[in-house]
Amino acid sequence: MATTPGDEATVEFMLKRWKDPKTGLDNAWREDYKVYLSFPDKTNPNKVSVVDPENRVLFAAREREKAYKPEQDDPEVVQPFAAYSPAGNVKGELVYANQGKMSDFELLNRTLDLRGTIAITRYGGEGRSKKAINAAKFGVVGVLVYTDPYDINDGLVSESETYPHSWYLPPSGVERGSYNIDFGDLLTPYLAAKDDVYRRPKEDITGIPPIPAQPIGFDDAERLICELDGDDAPTEWQGSLNCTYKLGGPGFKPTSPLNNSNVHMDIYNTERLENSANVMGIIRGSVEPDRYVIYGNHRDSWVHGAIDPSSGTAVMLEITRVLGKMVKEGRWRPRRSIIFGSWGAEEFGLIGSAEYTEEYFSKLSERTVAYINVDISVFANATLRASASPAAQSVLFTASKQVNAPGTTTSVYENWIKYFNRTSPNGIIPNVGFLTGAGSDYAAFMHYLGITSMDISYYYDRSKTRARIYPAYHTAYDTFDYASTFIDPGFTSHQAVARTAGNVLVRLADSLLLPFNCSDYAESLERYLSQAVTSYEEKLANKRISMESLKKAVQLFRDTATKLDRLIGDSDLAKETPLKTRRINDQLMLLDRAFLDPLAFPEQYGFRHVIWASRSSSVPTFPGLADAVEKAESTDLKEDWDQAHKHLSIVTQAIAGAAHTLDDVI
Amino acid sequence: MATTPGDEATVEFMLKRWKDPKTGLDNAWREDYKVYLSFPDKTNPNKVSVVDPENRVLFAAREREKAYKPEQDDPEVVQPFAAYSPAGNVKGELVYANQGKMSDFELLNRTLDLRGTIAITRYGGEGRSKKAINAAKFGVVGVLVYTDPYDINDGLVSESETYPHSWYLPPSGVERGSYNIDFGDLLTPYLAAKDDVYRRPKEDITGIPPIPAQPIGFDDAERLICELDGDDAPTEWQGSLNCTYKLGGPGFKPTSPLNNSNVHMDIYNTERLENSANVMGIIRGSVEPDRYVIYGNHRDSWVHGAIDPSSGTAVMLEITRVLGKMVKEGRWRPRRSIIFGSWGAEEFGLIGSAEYTEEYFSKLSERTVAYINVDISVFANATLRASASPAAQSVLFTASKQVNAPGTTTSVYENWIKYFNRTSPNGIIPNVGFLTGAGSDYAAFMHYLGITSMDISYYYDRSKTRARIYPAYHTAYDTFDYASTFIDPGFTSHQAVARTAGNVLVRLADSLLLPFNCSDYAESLERYLSQAVTSYEEKLANKRISMESLKKAVQLFRDTATKLDRLIGDSDLAKETPLKTRRINDQLMLLDRAFLDPLAFPEQYGFRHVIWASRSSSVPTFPGLADAVEKAESTDLKEDWDQAHKHLSIVTQAIAGAAHTLDDVI
Ligand SMILES: [Ca+2]
Ligand SMILES: [Ca+2]
Ligand SMILES: [Zn+2]
Ligand SMILES: [Zn+2]
Ligand SMILES: [Zn+2]
Ligand SMILES: [Zn+2]
C-alpha cells in the first residue's frame, strides 16, 4: 500500500533493477511528493454492527477477510476501508439501495423516508464515492458497499466454489478502494505536491463522501440484506445472495432477530500527508533525445497486489531488462528517449502520475510523443484489450500482428479480432476503446497533457464470465498464488502483453516517422459526428443552432489528414532532410495536444481534451456537447441551450485547430 | 475606422501591395470575423449640454472638432464618442472627479452625495472604462472625459499655440477610444468570432461602462469646470484650464449663468456585429517553414490615423517591400517563415489580433518563434523605445547597434541608451520595458499564447515634454500634415524604426540559432525576486508562508540558463546535426510558453503568462503574488493569505517549469 514500508521496499527494488549495471537503464531516480492519503486506524478498526435499542451488539461484521493462505494473515494486510470516507459514528435503520445511483435513491425515496437511514449498496453502476454523495442528498447518514456474487462470481456464493478452489471471490472478500471523484492529490490541484506548496483547506475538497462509507464482504451483506423488511426490490436490483432482496422497512423484518435494531457504523479513518515516490528511469535517445516515449504503471497496491499492479510492473520490468541489456551491451539505443515511470499512490486516485504531470507540465507537453500504460496486464488470458487515442490504433495493430497469442501460432491480432471487433471503412478490425475515463495512470497524460496514450492488457472471454473485474481485485486474495493458479498459469499472457507493449514502445521510440495515423483519427471524429448529428441536429435546429460549422471542421480534418498521409506516402523520408521528417513528426506528435482546451470543463480536474473527456451522457459522441444538450433538454432553459451552443463552438474550434496542425505548415 | 468603407479600402490596398508581382510576398489573403462594435449614430449625434430647470439649453458642447484643414471637415470623421458606452439620456449636477480613480471618487464622496450627479474626469491615471465603472459605484449617472492641457499640451491652451501652429492639441480636440477592459471581441471570449459561433448575451459583458460616458474637448470642459461651485479641488487635481478647479457644489456656483442647471447627456451609441478583416501575408521559410516569425500592426484608426496606426503600417509596408523584392528576385528566402498581419478593429480592443490567436491557437503555439509589434512607429523623434520579453532584449540591442540614429553617425543603440537606461550586471544598458499590459496587438501573443514578443517605436525626449501621448492621438488632427510637419519631418525616425525592426525580424527569421538570451530572462526574474523578497518575505513569514521554494526556482532557472548558454557557446552549431540546433532552438522558442498557466488569472481574459500579466499593485514584481499579497494585507483574511500562498506556488512552479524547458533534455 502507498507510503508503507512495503511500498518503500518496492521503491528500492525498482531502483536496484533500473540501476543494474548489466540490465539497467541509463539512469534511475526517485521523485517524492507529500500527498494527502486516508487510512483506517490499526488500533481502532472500523466497525459495522447491528445494535438493539439498548445498544447491545446483535451482529458484528468481520474486521478482516478470512485467511485461506498465510498471505491473508499477514499483519500488514490493511483492514478493508473506503479511502477518504470521513470518520464518524452513525446509526440508523437499514435500506437496500441497489448500486447507489441517483435513480436508485429516487426510487426508494418514493415510498420511504430515507432521512437518518443507513444504505447498503453493491459495487458497480456508479462510482464508489458517488454512491455516498448521492445517498447524502436524501438524508442517508451512512453507506455500506459490498460486492454481489451476481456481479463478481457469476452467481457463486459458497466457500467450496470460491478461492482457493476457483478464481471467484470468497464470501469474506472485500474490495477496497479510493472514494473520490477527482484524480491527483486532493489538496493541490494543478500544483505539484511539493513540501511547502499551497494546500487548499480540507473543507474545499469536493467529490469525496460527505457521510461515512465502508465496504464489507458478501457474507456480512447477506446477513443484513436477507433480514430486511419492506417491499421486494425490483428484479434488476436482485443479486445472488440467498434470499429475495427487500428494500428495508426501513430496517429489519419483525420475524428477524435483528428486528427493531439499527445498523451502527464506527469509522475511524484518518487523513495524513505522507511521502509518496515515483521511481523514474530513462534510456537516452540517440538522434532525438528531446522526444520522449513514456511507459508507466503504478507500483502501489491495496494489499499484496499480485495482479493489480504487479502483473503490469512485471511486464514493465521485463521490458526494461530486455532493452536495458541491449543498451548496456552497446547493441542498441533508441532514436528517441524512453522514460519509465513507476507511479506511487495510484490507488488513492492516480496521485503519483498526476503530480508528475503537474510538476513537469511544460517539458512533457513540449516533448512527449506517446504514453503507454500497462497497469493490470492480465485480467484473464483470453484476448488482448486496448484503449487508445485513435492516432495509436495502427501501431497497436502492427505490433499485435508480430506477436503470437499464448500457446498458439496465430497472432495476438488474429486472436484479438475474434473477441473485440467492429466494422470500419477498411473492413472488420479489432475494436480499440476510447480513453474517456480516468481508470488508471493514463488519465493525466491523455486528458491533462493531451499526449497520445494507450492502455494495454489481456482480458476475459466475455462469453464465459460476466465478472465486473477479476474477483480478487483490491482484496487480500490478489496474491502470486491466485495469479499463477487462476489468472495466468505459466504467465504466457503476461509474456504476450510484454511482447506487444514492448513492440509498440520500440516502434514509437525508434521509427524515423512516428507510427501515428491521422486518418484513423478522422474516422473516429466522423463516428462521433455522425452520432451527434443523429442525436442532436434536429433538437439544435429547433433552437436555431446550426451544426454546419462542426460538419465543416470534421471535413477539414479529414481533408488535411488525407493530404498529410499523401505527403508521407509520396516522400522517401530516409532521403529527406532530417528537419522535414521532424516537421511531420511534430505535426503527428502535437495532434492530440491540439484538442486541449483548459476552459472547456472547468469543473472537472485535469480534463482538457475536448474529444475524450469523460461524459455523463450515454450518447457516444463529443462529451461537452452531449452533456450540455442532455442538460438543456431536461431544463429547456435558454442559458442551458446557450451552453450547448457554446460546447458546439468549443469542439468545432478544437477540431478545426487540430486540422490546422495537420495542414501544410505554411 | 474599423469596418467602414475606408477600412475596406485599406484592406484592398494592403492586399494589392502584398500581392505585387515584383515587391509582394509569397501569398496574401484576408480573414474575416464578425465582431461586436459600438458606434455613434450619424443622424442622431451624441449631445452634452447644460439645461436649466425649464430644460432650456444654456450651453451645448461641440459635436465635432474644429476644422483647421480640410481633413477635419471630411464627412467621414466620426463624432467623438466612448465606444461601448451605453446609450442613455441622463441629467444631473456636475462634479469634478479628477482622473476618475476609486480614490478620486472616495475623496469626493467624503463631502458630497454623488448619487444622481454627472462627473467630469480627465484622461490619464485610470483606464477609460474604469472611470465610468468607478463612478457608477458611487451613484454617479454619467461621466464626461476630457484631455487636460496640463497632461497633453505642457499647459498650453490657446489656439495660437496649438495645431496647426504646433504639435499641441487644439482646444476642441477630443480623444476617442474604446471604453472596455478586456481585449478581443466582447461576445466571444476564447472562441474565434466566426459567423455562427456561440455569442454570449450582451448582459454578460463585463468591463464596459454601466452608465453613459462621452469625451469632450478642453474648451468645452473649461466652460463646465470653471463654473463649478464647491470646495477647491486638491492641488494634484488642478490642471491648466484658466481657473481654480473646484469639486462642484455639486453643480455650478451661484454667480454662474449655469447656476441651478444640470448637465445633460444624450448618448445614442449603438452596438452592431460588423465584419472586420485581418490581412495576412507570408514569406515561406526555406529550411524551417514550420517555424514562424510574426510581424504585425493594426490597420484601423479612429479618424485619419496618420500616426496611429499608419506610421506603423508604413514601416510594415516598407519592410515587406524590401524583403518581398529580394524574394521575388530570387535573391533571398528566410530560413523560417515570416507571417505579416494587418489587424482589424484594434481600436475597439485588439479584436483582430485576438480573434486570430483564438482561431489558430494550436498552430501558432506550436510554431511561433516571436511576435514583433510596431503600432505607432513614431511618437516623437528623440529615441528608440522598446518593450519586450527579456528573451528578446539582446536581439534588440544587436539590431539597434547596426542602424544609425536619424541624422547622426551614432547608432540607434547609442542614442537610445542616453534616454532610457539602467544598470545591469553587465553595466549600463538601454532599459527595455516589460510587456505587462494590453496596449496594442502584442497582448494576445505575449499573454495568451506565451510567444516572445516585442513592441518597438521612436519616442519622446521626456525632458522636453510631459505629454501623456502625442497630442493629436485619436483626434481628427492625426493627419499626414500633422505627422510630416510636427512628428517626424522627413520621416527619418520612421526609417530608423523600419531599419531596426527589420533587422530584428531578419535575425529572428534567418539565424541558425535563435537570437534569444535566456540569461537575460534569468536577470529579469532575479529583479522580480529581489523586489518580492524585499516587499513580502517578512509579511509572508508572519503567516508561516516561506519564499524559499521561489528562491530555489529562480536559482534553478539561472543555473539551467547558464548551462544552456555554455552549451551554445561550446558548440559549433554550423557543424552540428540540424536536429541538435533545432533542439536548442525549441528550448528557446518554448521558454516563454513554459510560463503560461491558464488557471492563474481566471478573471482576466487572455492573461496566462504568470510573469508578465498585468497587475494592479504598484510593486514591480510577479503580478499574481503582488496583487494577492496586497489584497491579503488590506483584509488580513485567512482566505486571502491562502490566495497569496497559492500565487506564490503558481509562480514558483511556472519558473521551475521554465527551467526544465532550458535544462538538459534528458
Ligand atoms: Ca497536485
Ligand atoms: Ca473571440
Ligand atoms: Zn491498478
Ligand atoms: Zn487498483
Ligand atoms: Zn494603435
Ligand atoms: Zn489607437
Side-chain angles (χ1 to χ4, degrees):
Chain A
M1 187 166 57
T3 75
T4 60
D7 187 28
E8 188 56 28
T10 63
V11 168
E12 293 304 326
F13 179 80
M14 300 293 298
L15 280 172
K16 189 163 165 247
R17 290 291 291 267
W18 286 355
K19 287 181 166 176
D20 185 285
K22 292 205 169 131
T23 60
L25 307 173
D26 285 329
N27 196 9
W29 66 95
R30 59 187 291 162
E31 305 220 9
D32 291 281
Y33 300 99
K34 198 181 272 183
V35 301
Y36 181 74
L37 303 181
S38 159
F39 298 100
D41 184 341
K42 231 177 171 174
T43 60
N44 216 1
N46 294 340
K47 289 183 201 306
V48 173
S49 55
V50 177
V51 293
D52 73 8
E54 283 74 46
N55 259 334
R56 281 176 304 221
V57 174
L58 305 182
F59 162 79
R62 314 175 147 273
E63 289 172 15
R64 50 192 300 145
E65 293 150 308
K66 188 167 168 185
Y68 297 102
K69 304 267 174 175
E71 294 95 298
Q72 286 88 46
D73 259 340
D74 189 314
E76 290 305 312
V77 171
V78 71
Q79 189 196 6
F81 74 114
Y84 303 111
S85 156
N89 187 312
V90 292
K91 206 154 65 171
E93 292 181 295
L94 190 69
V95 296
Y96 170 60
N98 190 31
Q99 297 177 314
K101 302 189 295 285
M102 276 304 282
S103 57
D104 295 331
F105 287 107
E106 279 158 6
L107 189 146
L108 280 180
N109 199 45
R110 275 184 231 152
T111 54
L112 294 173
D113 181 354
L114 295 173
R115 288 173 299 174
T117 63
I118 305 272
I120 183 165
T121 62
R122 58 186 172 122
Y123 272 120
E126 179 64 289
R128 295 187 188 105
S129 163
K130 280 300 285 293
K131 294 174 198 283
I133 291 171
N134 295 340
K137 292 188 179 135
F138 294 86
V140 174
V141 297
V143 167
L144 299 174
V145 188
Y146 78 103
T147 306
D148 199 285
Y150 180 88
D151 299 316
I152 201 86
N153 277 358
D154 293 314
L156 301 182
V157 295
S158 78
E159 278 194 277
S160 63
E161 294 169 308
T162 54
Y163 181 77
H165 306 292
S166 76
W167 81 321
Y168 288 119
L169 182 68
S172 70
V174 185
E175 178 183 322
R176 294 153 187 79
S178 188
Y179 280 57
N180 59 358
I181 292 175
D182 293 336
F183 60 92
D185 174 49
L186 293 176
L187 292 183
T188 60
Y190 302 110
L191 291 169
K194 314 298 274 187
D195 276 4
D196 58 1
V197 79
Y198 169 66
R199 290 183 162 76
R200 62 178 173 175
K202 287 170 56 167
E203 307 81 67
D204 288 5
I205 297 173
T206 54
I208 59 175
I211 53 176
Q214 173 72 18
I216 60 175
F218 68 76
D219 53 357
D220 287 329
E222 184 171 60
R223 289 291 305 276
L224 298 171
I225 290 175
C226 291
E227 302 297 323
L228 281 174
D229 198 9
D231 295 337
D232 285 2
T235 314
E236 322 80 66
W237 291 30
Q238 299 296 324
S240 297
L241 300 178
N242 194 21
C243 63
T244 298
Y245 298 19
K246 295 181 185 294
L247 301 179
F252 302 106
K253 57 193 171 195
T255 56
S256 165
L258 306 180
N259 183 32
N260 264 330
S261 299
N262 283 321
V263 170
H264 185 191
M265 297 173 64
D266 254 328
I267 307 301
Y268 298 102
N269 296 344
T270 53
E271 297 86 34
R272 293 197 295 273
L273 288 182
E274 291 284 354
N275 204 65
S276 173
N278 294 333
V279 181
M280 308 303 302
I282 58 154
I283 298 176
R284 275 184 212 93
S286 55
V287 181
E288 296 184 273
D290 57 338
R291 287 296 175 263
Y292 307 152
V293 182
I294 307 182
Y295 180 111
N297 178 31
H298 66 102
R299 197 185 55 254
D300 64 311
S301 59
W302 283 116
V303 191
H304 306 291
I307 295 293
D308 180 11
S310 300
S311 65
T313 303
V315 165
M316 179 159 70
L317 283 171
E318 179 62 0
I319 290 173
T320 57
R321 185 189 66 79
V322 171
L323 299 183
K325 190 156 179 287
M326 291 198 295
V327 167
K328 294 290 182 193
E329 290 172 357
R331 292 190 291 129
W332 176 76
R333 181 165 290 286
R335 177 181 177 87
R336 303 181 182 86
S337 297
I338 304 178
I339 299 178
F340 292 96
S342 170
W343 315 119
E346 187 263 6
E347 291 294 3
F348 286 85
L350 322 181
I351 295 179
S353 56
E355 299 308 309
Y356 175 72
T357 59
E358 288 171 340
E359 179 165 12
Y360 298 103
F361 182 86
S362 304
K363 183 168 95 163
L364 297 176
S365 301
E366 290 156 12
R367 301 176 192 158
T368 309
V369 155
Y371 175 70
I372 304 171
N373 195 66
V374 180
D375 178 348
I376 297 169
S377 68
V378 182
F379 289 84
N381 52 17
T383 173
L384 193 76
R385 182 181 72 159
S387 298
S389 160
Q393 174 182 285
S394 65
V395 69
L396 287 163
F397 289 176
T398 311
S400 62
K401 284 174 182 168
Q402 292 194 318
V403 179
N404 274 356
T408 73
T409 54
T410 60
S411 70
V412 163
Y413 179 91
E414 286 170 85
N415 184 63
W416 182 15
I417 206 169
K418 285 189 260 169
Y419 292 90
F420 293 103
N421 58 64
R422 68 179 180 92
T423 305
S424 82
N426 306 316
I428 309 269
I429 55 172
N431 188 39
V432 176
F434 296 144
L435 284 174
T436 55
S440 186
D441 291 302
Y442 55 78
F445 293 93
M446 184 80 242
H447 299 299
Y448 183 46
L449 294 180
I451 288 168
T452 302
S453 297
M454 57 214 91
D455 186 63
I456 301 171
S457 61
Y458 240 69
Y459 208 65
Y460 318 104
D461 178 351
R462 271 291 174 219
S463 70
K464 301 224 171 99
T465 178
R466 65 168 180 266
R468 275 178 53 238
I469 192 159
Y470 70 97
Y473 172 73
H474 288 191
T475 74
Y477 307 107
D478 185 348
T479 58
F480 184 81
D481 173 64
Y482 180 87
S484 59
T485 311
F486 298 111
I487 299 287
D488 189 21
F491 294 98
T492 53
S493 295
H494 283 71
Q495 197 178 48
V497 172
R499 286 175 173 161
T500 307
N503 192 304
V504 171
L505 174 63
V506 170
R507 287 177 177 281
L508 289 166
D510 248 359
S511 309
L512 177 62
L513 182 75
L514 283 177
F516 288 153
N517 188 312
C518 51
S519 291
D520 288 339
Y521 221 121
E523 193 221 334
S524 296
L525 295 177
E526 284 158 358
R527 284 158 73 192
Y528 265 21
L529 174 65
S530 139
Q531 181 70 58
V533 168
T534 306
S535 303
Y536 307 135
E537 188 167 37
E538 203 183 316
K539 290 167 190 168
L540 289 170
N542 288 338
K543 303 291 171 181
R544 299 160 153 265
I545 302 169
S546 160
M547 292 184 77
E548 288 311 310
S549 291
L550 178 61
K551 292 181 197 171
K552 270 188 215 147
V554 172
Q555 186 60 50
L556 180 68
F557 189 99
R558 166 61 79 181
D559 294 344
T560 54
T562 303
K563 202 158 58 171
L564 184 60
D565 271 353
R566 195 176 304 132
L567 172 72
I568 292 169
D570 292 349
S571 309
D572 183 354
L573 290 177
K575 292 188 187 147
E576 293 278 0
T577 64
L579 288 176
K580 180 167 177 191
T581 310
R582 172 70 162 237
R583 185 185 98 203
I584 296 171
N585 281 338
D586 277 359
Q587 290 178 288
L588 295 170
M589 171 178 86
L590 295 171
L591 175 54
D592 261 308
R593 225 85 89 242
F595 289 104
L596 295 183
D597 181 343
L599 304 181
F601 311 104
E603 306 298 314
Q604 277 187 283
Y605 167 80
F607 284 93
R608 298 181 166 194
H609 197 299
V610 304
I611 310 297
W612 308 123
S614 75
R615 92 187 109 72
S616 357
S617 162
S618 61
V619 183
T621 185
F622 308 112
L625 180 65
D627 287 351
V629 172
E630 198 150 293
K631 177 157 189 217
E633 278 196 274
S634 76
T635 66
D636 206 27
L637 291 173
K638 162 136 189 352
E639 68 236 43
D640 288 331
W641 285 108
D642 272 2
Q643 284 305 302
H645 192 178
K646 183 175 173 183
H647 273 286
L648 180 65
S649 295
I650 285 172
V651 71
T652 300
Q653 180 161 299
I655 293 170
H660 299 321
T661 289
L662 294 181
D663 204 357
D664 298 340
V665 294
I666 200 85
Chain B
M1 188 165 54
T3 76
T4 61
D7 187 28
E8 190 56 30
T10 62
V11 168
E12 293 304 326
F13 178 81
M14 299 294 298
L15 280 172
K16 187 162 168 248
R17 290 290 291 266
W18 286 355
K19 287 181 165 176
D20 186 286
K22 293 206 169 131
T23 59
L25 307 174
D26 285 328
N27 196 9
W29 66 95
R30 59 187 289 161
E31 305 219 12
D32 291 279
Y33 301 98
K34 198 182 272 182
V35 302
Y36 181 76
L37 303 181
S38 160
F39 299 100
D41 183 341
K42 229 175 171 174
T43 59
N44 216 0
N46 294 340
K47 291 185 197 303
V48 173
S49 56
V50 176
V51 294
D52 73 8
E54 284 76 44
N55 261 333
R56 281 178 301 222
V57 174
L58 305 183
F59 162 80
R62 313 177 146 272
E63 289 172 18
R64 48 191 304 145
E65 294 150 307
K66 187 167 171 185
Y68 297 101
K69 304 269 173 173
E71 294 95 296
Q72 286 89 46
D73 258 340
D74 189 313
E76 290 306 311
V77 171
V78 71
Q79 188 196 8
F81 75 114
Y84 302 110
S85 157
N89 187 312
V90 292
K91 205 155 67 171
E93 292 180 296
L94 190 69
V95 296
Y96 170 60
N98 191 31
Q99 297 177 316
K101 301 189 295 287
M102 277 303 284
S103 58
D104 295 331
F105 288 106
E106 279 157 7
L107 189 145
L108 280 181
N109 198 46
R110 274 184 232 152
T111 53
L112 295 172
D113 181 355
L114 296 174
R115 287 173 300 172
T117 62
I118 305 269
I120 184 166
T121 62
R122 58 186 171 124
Y123 272 120
E126 179 65 288
R128 296 186 187 105
S129 165
K130 280 299 286 293
K131 295 175 197 284
I133 291 172
N134 295 340
K137 292 187 180 135
F138 294 84
V140 173
V141 297
V143 167
L144 299 174
V145 188
Y146 78 103
T147 305
D148 199 286
Y150 180 88
D151 300 314
I152 201 84
N153 277 359
D154 294 314
L156 301 182
V157 296
S158 77
E159 277 193 277
S160 63
E161 295 169 308
T162 55
Y163 181 77
H165 307 292
S166 76
W167 81 322
Y168 289 119
L169 182 69
S172 71
V174 184
E175 179 184 321
R176 294 151 186 80
S178 189
Y179 280 56
N180 59 358
I181 293 176
D182 292 335
F183 60 93
D185 175 49
L186 293 175
L187 292 184
T188 60
Y190 303 110
L191 290 168
K194 314 297 274 187
D195 276 4
D196 59 0
V197 79
Y198 169 67
R199 290 183 162 75
R200 62 178 174 176
K202 286 171 56 166
E203 307 80 68
D204 289 5
I205 297 173
T206 55
I208 60 176
I211 54 175
Q214 174 71 17
I216 60 175
F218 68 77
D219 53 358
D220 287 329
E222 184 171 61
R223 288 291 304 276
L224 298 172
I225 289 174
C226 292
E227 301 296 323
L228 281 173
D229 197 9
D231 295 337
D232 284 2
T235 315
E236 322 80 67
W237 292 30
Q238 299 296 326
S240 297
L241 300 178
N242 194 20
C243 63
T244 298
Y245 297 19
K246 296 180 184 292
L247 301 180
F252 302 105
K253 56 193 173 196
T255 55
S256 164
L258 307 179
N259 182 31
N260 263 331
S261 299
N262 283 322
V263 170
H264 185 190
M265 296 173 65
D266 254 328
I267 307 300
Y268 298 101
N269 297 344
T270 54
E271 297 86 34
R272 292 196 296 272
L273 288 182
E274 292 283 355
N275 204 67
S276 173
N278 294 332
V279 180
M280 308 302 302
I282 56 155
I283 298 175
R284 275 185 211 91
S286 54
V287 181
E288 296 183 274
D290 58 339
R291 287 297 176 263
Y292 307 153
V293 182
I294 307 182
Y295 181 111
N297 179 30
H298 66 101
R299 195 186 56 255
D300 65 309
S301 60
W302 282 117
V303 192
H304 305 292
I307 294 293
D308 180 12
S310 301
S311 65
T313 303
V315 165
M316 179 159 70
L317 283 171
E318 178 63 1
I319 290 173
T320 58
R321 185 189 66 80
V322 170
L323 299 183
K325 188 157 180 286
M326 291 198 293
V327 167
K328 295 289 182 194
E329 290 172 356
R331 291 191 289 130
W332 176 77
R333 180 165 290 285
R335 176 181 178 87
R336 303 181 182 87
S337 297
I338 303 178
I339 299 178
F340 292 95
S342 169
W343 315 120
E346 188 263 7
E347 292 293 5
F348 288 85
L350 321 182
I351 295 179
S353 56
E355 298 308 309
Y356 175 71
T357 59
E358 287 172 339
E359 181 167 12
Y360 297 102
F361 182 86
S362 303
K363 183 168 95 163
L364 298 176
S365 300
E366 290 156 13
R367 300 175 192 159
T368 310
V369 155
Y371 176 69
I372 302 171
N373 195 67
V374 179
D375 179 348
I376 297 168
S377 68
V378 182
F379 289 84
N381 53 15
T383 173
L384 193 75
R385 182 182 71 158
S387 299
S389 160
Q393 175 182 286
S394 64
V395 70
L396 288 164
F397 288 177
T398 311
S400 61
K401 283 174 184 169
Q402 292 194 319
V403 178
N404 273 357
T408 72
T409 53
T410 59
S411 70
V412 164
Y413 180 91
E414 286 169 85
N415 184 62
W416 184 13
I417 206 170
K418 285 189 258 167
Y419 291 90
F420 293 103
N421 58 63
R422 68 177 178 94
T423 305
S424 81
N426 306 318
I428 308 269
I429 56 173
N431 187 39
V432 176
F434 296 142
L435 284 173
T436 55
S440 186
D441 291 303
Y442 56 77
F445 293 93
M446 184 81 244
H447 298 300
Y448 184 45
L449 294 179
I451 288 169
T452 302
S453 297
M454 57 213 93
D455 186 64
I456 301 171
S457 60
Y458 238 70
Y459 209 66
Y460 318 104
D461 177 350
R462 271 291 173 221
S463 71
K464 300 225 172 100
T465 177
R466 64 167 179 267
R468 274 178 54 240
I469 191 158
Y470 70 96
Y473 173 74
H474 288 191
T475 74
Y477 306 107
D478 184 349
T479 58
F480 184 82
D481 173 64
Y482 180 87
S484 59
T485 312
F486 298 110
I487 299 288
D488 189 21
F491 295 98
T492 53
S493 295
H494 282 72
Q495 195 177 50
V497 171
R499 287 175 172 162
T500 306
N503 191 305
V504 171
L505 173 62
V506 170
R507 288 177 177 280
L508 288 165
D510 247 0
S511 309
L512 176 63
L513 181 76
L514 283 176
F516 288 153
N517 188 313
C518 51
S519 291
D520 288 340
Y521 221 120
E523 194 221 334
S524 295
L525 296 178
E526 284 159 356
R527 283 159 74 192
Y528 265 20
L529 174 67
S530 138
Q531 182 70 58
V533 168
T534 305
S535 302
Y536 308 135
E537 188 167 38
E538 202 182 318
K539 289 167 190 169
L540 290 169
N542 288 339
K543 303 291 172 182
R544 297 158 153 267
I545 302 169
S546 160
M547 293 184 76
E548 288 311 311
S549 291
L550 177 61
K551 293 182 197 169
K552 271 188 215 147
V554 172
Q555 186 60 51
L556 180 68
F557 189 99
R558 166 61 77 180
D559 293 344
T560 55
T562 303
K563 202 158 58 169
L564 184 60
D565 271 353
R566 195 175 307 132
L567 172 72
I568 292 169
D570 291 349
S571 309
D572 183 354
L573 290 176
K575 292 187 186 149
E576 293 279 357
T577 65
L579 287 176
K580 180 169 177 188
T581 309
R582 172 72 162 234
R583 186 185 97 204
I584 296 170
N585 280 338
D586 278 359
Q587 290 178 288
L588 294 170
M589 171 178 86
L590 295 171
L591 176 55
D592 260 309
R593 228 85 90 239
F595 289 104
L596 295 183
D597 181 343
L599 304 181
F601 310 105
E603 307 298 315
Q604 276 188 283
Y605 168 80
F607 284 93
R608 299 182 165 194
H609 197 300
V610 304
I611 310 296
W612 308 122
S614 76
R615 96 188 104 72
S616 356
S617 162
S618 61
V619 182
T621 185
F622 309 112
L625 180 66
D627 288 351
V629 173
E630 197 149 295
K631 178 158 188 218
E633 277 195 276
S634 75
T635 66
D636 206 25
L637 291 173
K638 161 131 188 358
E639 68 237 42
D640 288 331
W641 285 108
D642 272 3
Q643 285 303 305
H645 191 178
K646 184 175 173 182
H647 273 287
L648 179 64
S649 294
I650 285 173
V651 70
T652 300
Q653 181 162 298
I655 293 170
H660 299 321
T661 289
L662 295 181
D663 205 356
D664 298 339
V665 293
I666 199 86

